[in-house]
Amino acid sequence: QVHLVESGGGLVQPGGSLRLSCEASGSIVSPNVMGWGRQAPGKERELVANAFSGGPTTYEDSVKGRFTVSRDKTTNMVYLQMNSLRPEDTAVYYCYFQDFTTRERYWGQGTQVTVSS
């Protein structure tokens, strides 16, 4: 079992920046992948940024060049730096941890990000 706690959401104007943080605890096994998904009202949850324990990162097309995912394996933290935010980035953002071998995935409770003037 893995427990995840996010922080850092809020209200920001278009073009602004936010940094989300997430701490994982529990049965942290490797190899794994940690990252972020989001769910906007009326839409399905989508993965937006993924950081593999071996180093590579991947992004959903709409956030490439604006979002950066990073992780600190010594503290089991994962971060999402979001720049040039747009109103369509408004969503609840969820941190996740996935065991790469079993594919079992755990989610945090979510943090609201609202981009509005």
Side-chain angles (χ1 to χ4, degrees):
Q1 194 78 355
V2 176
H3 185 59
L4 300 150
V5 179
E6 303 103 332
S7 61
L11 172 65
V12 63
Q13 292 186 340
S17 298
L18 277 176
R19 187 183 192 227
L20 306 181
S21 301
C22 173
E23 181 175 14
S25 60
S27 300
I28 308 299
V29 298
S30 291
N32 61 65
V33 55
M34 294 185 69
W36 296 87
R38 67 185 180 187
Q39 187 166 17
K43 296 187 176 181
E44 293 188 356
R45 190 175 300 186
E46 61 176 353
L47 296 182
V48 295
N50 314 287
F52 294 83
S53 55
T57 57
T58 61
Y59 298 91
E60 193 268 331
D61 284 347
S62 70
V63 308
K64 284 180 181 176
R66 301 187 299 122
F67 290 12
T68 302
V69 61
S70 60
R71 55 187 295 180
D72 182 339
K73 285 181 277 187
T74 62
T75 58
N76 293 320
M77 296 287 295
V78 64
Y79 305 94
L80 185 66
Q81 177 66 43
M82 304 185 292
N83 299 327
S84 302
L85 282 161
R86 305 167 180 169
E88 54 264 38
D89 294 318
T90 295
V92 178
Y93 283 71
Y94 298 89
C95 169
Y96 81 89
F97 172 94
Q98 183 168 348
D99 183 321
F100 203 71
T101 302
T102 66
R103 298 186 182 274
E104 190 166 10
R105 183 181 291 167
Y106 301 89
W107 292 96
Q109 82 285 356
T111 185
Q112 177 70 46
V113 172
T114 303
V115 185
S116 175
S117 54

